[in-house]
Amino acid sequence: MPVPCRTGCGNNAVLKRPKTGDALCKECFYWAFETEIHYTITKGELFNKGDSVAIAASGGKDSTVLAYILKTLNTRYDYGLNLMLLSIDEGITGYRDDSLETVKQNRDDYEMPLKILSYKDLYGWTMDEIVAQIGRKNNCTFCGVFRRQALDRGAALLDVKCIATGHNADDIAETVLMNVLRGDIARLKRCTAISTGSEGTIPRVKPLKYTYEKEIVMYAHYKKLVYFSTECVFAPNAYRGHARALLKDMERIRPTCIMDIIYSGETMSVKEQVSLPSQRICSRCNFVSSQEVCKACVLLEGLNKGLPKLGIGKTSKAKKMLEAYNARQMQENSLEQATDLEDTSKSIKDNIKDASNKCNSKNCCSGKCKSDASKQQNGNAKINKLLEQYGLDESPSSQKLNGDLSDDECSGGCGNSSSMPIGF
């Protein structure tokens, strides 16, 4: 038996909202879905009229629905926003290259400009290359850190006022659980914020903060939106997957647990005596960081130095790895210097040996003529010409002359005529 729409519009219901349990028809569901997001935007004061907004577009259901909704609400309520798409190419073969084709389709369908930045251009590494170095255990750490900074770089390049991300209610609830399980107080305090970003940085806003993932899927399905639904090939090993599984199990028992977790995160307070890291600017890349050197720069340095696990784990572990690396580099440099000294010493010895083989005559050229064999040949030719000119035969003196040439190559070659028996 058909179930009538709860609004009393006279149409039959096509779905039961997971968030409220209301049975609604398509049109009433569209209205409720879009109105709630509009209320979230206006209450949170996410945008100002005339702002340029970059939509973080991955091609998935969340970013596709976000782009469609923002375009619809921007026209309906006259937000006056300049919307554009910003995509990050992590370099994951069989996943990101296919999803970017969906983003390009969204660009054409929604008539928004698109900017694509790649890890390879920004960092010199693709995720495929990083996974080959680090393995599949901690690869999501690299991807998450690099992606966050890549969005900041893209936003700065596009000169936008803020970045709109597709984080939905399920994502935020999962993040709360992850931070509780890890004891990450700093992230726990700000993960439920609808707008994040310190002074001087480009803020990020979450228009879908109170929107259930199931409703996003149903909205995309009924609206026939084009999106990419394949999961990342590296995602199954992510820590977030365990928090997601826990959340889904809890949702089966209590469907409102997603909103309950978000509200708990929003109202949670931290004791005053607990010290939290303050936001600052990285001394290397000049992007936002909670340390002097940001996580992205630490991870990148580890990759470039052949220490892919440098930024994984505690800071003390990273310092030990760097100290060991620097000690090894100093040892290698010392070995290279010792090798250079040995080569230099050998070269000096060879030069001394060569000098000892040269003529030591006081009236000689000190061996300079030995290095130029052509001088010797010219000297012999000159002597032969003189012998022929003066009609001298091979007398004992001339034989002695020839013998001296074989014994003392400097005779006649250096211009010393004292040993010559001929008067010129």
Side-chain angles (χ1 to χ4, degrees):
M1 182 178 178
V3 178
C5 179
R6 191 179 185 282
T7 61
C9 65
N11 297 323
N12 292 330
V14 296
L15 59 88
K16 183 178 181 180
R17 293 191 67 186
K19 184 177 181 179
T20 61
D22 295 336
L24 300 176
C25 65
K26 279 186 182 180
E27 296 302 323
C28 291
F29 170 65
Y30 296 157
W31 178 85
F33 186 86
E34 295 165 359
T35 302
E36 286 181 1
I37 296 176
H38 169 65
Y39 177 77
T40 301
I41 293 173
T42 54
K43 183 180 179 181
E45 299 179 349
L46 303 186
F47 309 119
N48 295 317
K49 195 165 187 176
D51 283 351
S52 295
V53 179
I55 302 172
S58 64
K61 62 184 185 313
D62 299 322
S63 63
T64 298
V65 170
L66 177 63
Y68 180 85
I69 285 289
L70 287 182
K71 178 178 175 60
T72 301
L73 299 180
N74 190 37
T75 302
R76 181 183 300 171
Y77 297 103
D78 192 22
Y79 289 165
L81 303 178
N82 178 25
L83 301 174
M84 57 192 74
L85 301 176
L86 174 60
S87 291
I88 307 301
D89 181 6
E90 300 92 343
I92 304 176
T93 305
Y95 170 69
R96 184 55 70 203
D97 46 359
D98 293 336
S99 67
L100 285 177
E101 295 301 320
T102 304
V103 174
K104 294 175 183 178
Q105 182 65 43
N106 294 338
R107 171 198 61 191
D108 299 336
D109 293 341
Y110 309 146
E111 298 179 347
M112 295 180 185
L114 168 64
K115 179 65 178 179
I116 300 176
L117 296 177
S118 69
Y119 281 7
K120 190 68 175 179
D121 294 337
L122 295 176
Y123 309 113
W125 293 78
T126 65
M127 273 308 300
D128 288 341
E129 294 170 344
I130 293 173
V131 171
Q133 294 290 324
I134 191 66
R136 296 203 172 197
K137 186 176 181 181
N138 296 300
N139 56 80
C140 287
T141 299
F142 285 83
C143 192
V145 171
F146 286 165
R147 182 178 176 80
R148 282 192 293 271
Q149 191 186 91
L151 287 173
D152 289 337
R153 290 174 180 266
L157 185 65
L158 295 174
D159 192 24
V160 297
K161 293 296 182 180
C162 65
I163 307 171
T165 63
H167 291 98
N168 56 49
D170 296 56
D171 296 330
I172 297 174
E174 291 167 7
T175 306
V176 172
L177 289 177
M178 289 173 60
N179 291 328
V180 168
L181 294 175
R182 292 186 301 197
D184 195 336
I185 302 300
R187 287 191 176 93
L188 180 61
K189 186 176 180 180
R190 64 175 183 264
C191 69
T192 56
I194 195 169
S195 179
T196 57
S198 58
E199 184 178 355
T201 63
I202 299 175
R204 300 186 188 188
V205 297
K206 307 168 186 174
L208 304 181
K209 175 183 175 181
Y210 300 111
T211 306
Y212 274 35
E213 183 178 36
K214 291 179 179 178
E215 295 192 359
I216 291 175
V217 173
M218 288 188 287
Y219 185 86
H221 171 70
Y222 287 126
K223 284 286 187 178
K224 294 182 171 52
L225 303 182
V226 178
Y227 65 90
F228 186 76
S229 58
T230 302
E231 186 181 32
C232 175
V233 294
F234 301 137
N237 298 297
Y239 183 69
R240 179 176 288 272
H242 301 291
R244 180 178 294 116
L246 175 60
L247 183 65
K248 296 306 178 186
D249 290 340
M250 295 169 61
E251 187 183 5
R252 292 190 189 97
I253 303 171
R254 181 183 174 87
T256 60
C257 73
I258 293 176
M259 296 304 299
D260 295 338
I261 292 174
I262 295 177
Y263 292 146
S264 298
E266 290 175 338
T267 56
M268 195 174 296
S269 61
V270 181
K271 294 181 179 179
E272 294 181 358
Q273 57 267 33
V274 177
S275 59
L276 298 176
S278 58
Q279 295 288 341
R280 63 175 77 177
I281 300 299
C282 175
S283 59
R284 295 190 181 183
C285 64
N286 294 325
F287 283 93
V288 65
S289 172
S290 59
Q291 304 291 335
E292 182 180 354
V293 180
C294 71
K295 189 75 168 180
C297 288
V298 174
L299 293 174
L300 187 60
E301 182 176 0
L303 288 172
N304 293 333
K305 287 186 174 181
L307 303 171
K309 294 186 178 181
L310 179 65
I312 305 299
K314 297 182 179 179
T315 306
S316 58
K317 181 181 177 182
K319 289 181 178 179
K320 290 180 181 179
M321 293 179 66
L322 273 179
E323 289 174 358
Y325 175 83
N326 292 331
R328 187 167 63 252
Q329 289 295 106
M330 291 179 63
Q331 184 178 6
E332 291 177 358
N333 292 335
S334 299
L335 290 175
E336 290 178 359
Q337 292 176 1
T339 304
D340 293 340
L341 289 174
E342 184 179 353
D343 293 341
T344 303
S345 176
K346 183 178 180 181
S347 176
I348 293 174
K349 290 180 181 179
D350 292 341
N351 292 336
I352 294 175
K353 183 177 180 181
D354 292 342
S356 65
N357 292 332
K358 295 181 181 179
C359 174
N360 294 322
S361 174
K362 294 181 179 180
N363 298 324
C364 181
C365 65
S366 300
K368 294 181 181 179
C369 59
K370 187 176 182 180
S371 62
D372 192 353
S374 61
K375 291 183 179 180
Q376 175 188 347
Q377 295 176 356
N378 293 336
N380 291 338
K382 186 175 182 180
I383 293 173
N384 293 333
K385 183 177 181 180
L386 288 172
L387 290 173
E388 183 180 356
Q389 178 179 355
Y390 287 94
L392 298 176
D393 56 0
E394 294 185 1
S395 60
S397 60
S398 65
Q399 294 176 1
K400 177 71 170 86
L401 173 67
N402 292 333
D404 288 340
L405 285 175
S406 63
D407 295 337
D408 187 1
E409 296 183 29
C410 288
S411 301
C414 59
N416 184 6
S417 60
S418 60
S419 61
M420 296 288 288
I422 305 169
F424 289 89

